[in-house]
Amino acid sequence: MEENMRDELRTLVGTLRSQITKPCDSSIESDDRVNRDYIDQTINDIRLMLVNKTLELQERIKNARPFEDDFHYETKIRAYRNLLEIAESLLIGMQQSFEETLDHYRQFIDRIWNDIVTNEGMNVDNLVNNYSFYLNTIMNNTWVKYFEAVEQRLIEISAI
């Protein structure tokens, strides 16, 4: 997931930089629309990636529900209920984190564009590195922790 985000950032910066080198003519408005479409598509790609990860996790959680005729049903169903509580926290936390991340992404785009226009992109690498650090921090401190907690509970249930 991290590498996908990094590739998207590189492509975005290249697309934005190319706008500075184009001559001023009537195509600028259509180029601006292409850039906005590209940014919207990138946001949708990120959203889709997270939705797919969440759907995969939901399917695994559903499959972990113990059968009533299981000899250790009571123990497993308690563990499963604990898993559901963690999963609910995960989904709430992911939604909040995702919305925050999209807000930061939009701000990042604005800063990149502003730097390219006003400073010939002299600070782009620094901005990209800072945003990449932010994404890594969010992924490692929020998303990965939630997914690891759910994964641990899935392992515990299957070991009972």
Side-chain angles (χ1 to χ4, degrees):
M1 188 158 63
E2 180 180 333
E3 192 58 36
N4 289 345
M5 299 288 260
R6 213 176 263 284
D7 290 342
E8 293 291 339
L9 293 177
R10 285 187 203 115
T11 303
L12 172 68
V13 169
T15 302
L16 293 175
R17 273 191 171 149
S18 71
Q19 296 306 303
I20 292 302
T21 61
K22 290 187 178 184
C24 286
D25 63 17
S26 62
S27 68
I28 292 207
E29 187 174 314
S30 66
D31 289 340
D32 186 46
R33 181 71 224 154
V34 168
N35 284 338
R36 280 184 266 141
D37 289 345
Y38 176 78
I39 291 166
D40 289 344
Q41 183 60 48
T42 301
I43 290 171
N44 286 334
D45 289 347
I46 294 168
R47 180 177 285 130
L48 182 61
M49 180 177 44
L50 289 173
V51 166
N52 286 336
K53 290 286 185 191
T54 302
L55 290 174
E56 288 172 19
L57 187 62
Q58 286 175 338
E59 189 63 30
R60 291 188 63 211
I61 290 169
K62 284 187 341 188
N63 291 336
R65 181 170 171 68
F67 294 104
E68 290 182 17
D69 61 349
D70 190 306
F71 183 73
H72 299 286
Y73 177 77
E74 290 302 320
T75 303
K76 285 184 177 183
I77 198 67
R78 279 193 300 275
Y80 184 75
R81 286 184 183 129
N82 180 261
L83 170 65
L84 291 176
E85 290 172 10
I86 291 170
E88 181 180 13
S89 295
L90 172 129
L91 293 174
I92 291 168
M94 287 290 289
Q95 179 66 30
Q96 292 169 345
S97 175
F98 184 65
E99 293 304 321
E100 179 182 309
T101 300
L102 287 180
D103 289 342
H104 281 262
Y105 183 75
R106 289 179 188 100
Q107 293 167 9
F108 166 73
I109 299 298
D110 290 341
R111 285 192 297 272
I112 290 286
W113 182 248
N114 185 49
D115 184 62
I116 290 170
V117 170
T118 62
N119 199 22
E120 297 181 359
M122 297 298 290
N123 295 319
V124 165
D125 289 339
N126 188 41
L127 292 168
V128 169
N129 288 337
N130 287 342
Y131 190 73
S132 291
F133 178 78
Y134 164 77
L135 282 179
N136 288 334
T137 301
I138 288 293
M139 283 191 281
N140 292 327
N141 292 339
T142 304
W143 304 345
V144 170
K145 282 185 178 181
Y146 282 127
F147 283 110
E148 286 176 350
V150 170
E151 186 66 34
Q152 182 61 37
R153 293 307 182 278
L154 287 168
I155 291 168
E156 289 171 8
I157 289 171
S158 66
I160 296 174

